Structure formats: C-alpha cells, structure tokens
Amino acid sequence: MQTVKLQEKSGTGMLWLHIPKHIKEHFGLRKGQKVWVDWEEGNPPRMVVYFENPRGEEVNEGV
C-alpha cells in the first residue's frame, strides 16, 4: 500500500491522483484508458477502480 495525495486539476474542482509507476506497469494501465469508479461504504469507506465494466453492460460515451 502506498499513500498518494489528491490534487485539484487546474481550478476545475475535479480531483486527480498520481498512480505510481509500479501499479501502472503491473496492471498495464495506459493514458486515455476508460475505467469505472465506485465506492463502498464501510469502515473505512473505499473508492474502487474497475478496469472492466463490473456490470458487463454497454455504457454511453457521453460522460
């Protein structure tokens, strides 16, 4: 596990975080790749990133 710092993207109010190189390489992540983000309530609450659509359904590209 590694600590990373959330940062604001150029005053847009959107947050982003740096993904460490070893994680990028391990999962084969690439710039522009589509991922799905969700959260799980709990103690502690968790943000979850899926590399494939967890529901297996088509998604509109408008977002």
Side-chain angles (χ1 to χ4, degrees):
M1 186 177 302
Q2 182 173 341
T3 301
V4 295
K5 185 176 181 181
L6 291 175
Q7 299 180 25
E8 186 173 341
K9 185 173 182 177
S10 303
T12 63
M14 296 188 320
L15 296 177
W16 69 276
L17 60 93
H18 168 79
I19 297 174
K21 185 176 180 179
H22 69 280
I23 293 175
K24 174 187 169 195
E25 291 173 350
H26 178 81
F27 289 105
L29 302 176
R30 63 194 182 283
K31 181 180 177 180
Q33 178 177 348
K34 184 192 310 183
V35 297
W36 289 259
V37 180
D38 202 355
W39 68 88
E40 294 178 356
E41 297 292 342
N43 188 10
R46 298 178 179 145
M47 183 172 74
V48 182
V49 178
Y50 297 94
F51 303 125
E52 295 181 7
N53 187 337
R55 297 187 179 128
E57 52 194 42
E58 291 294 321
V59 177
N60 293 331
E61 295 290 330
V63 177

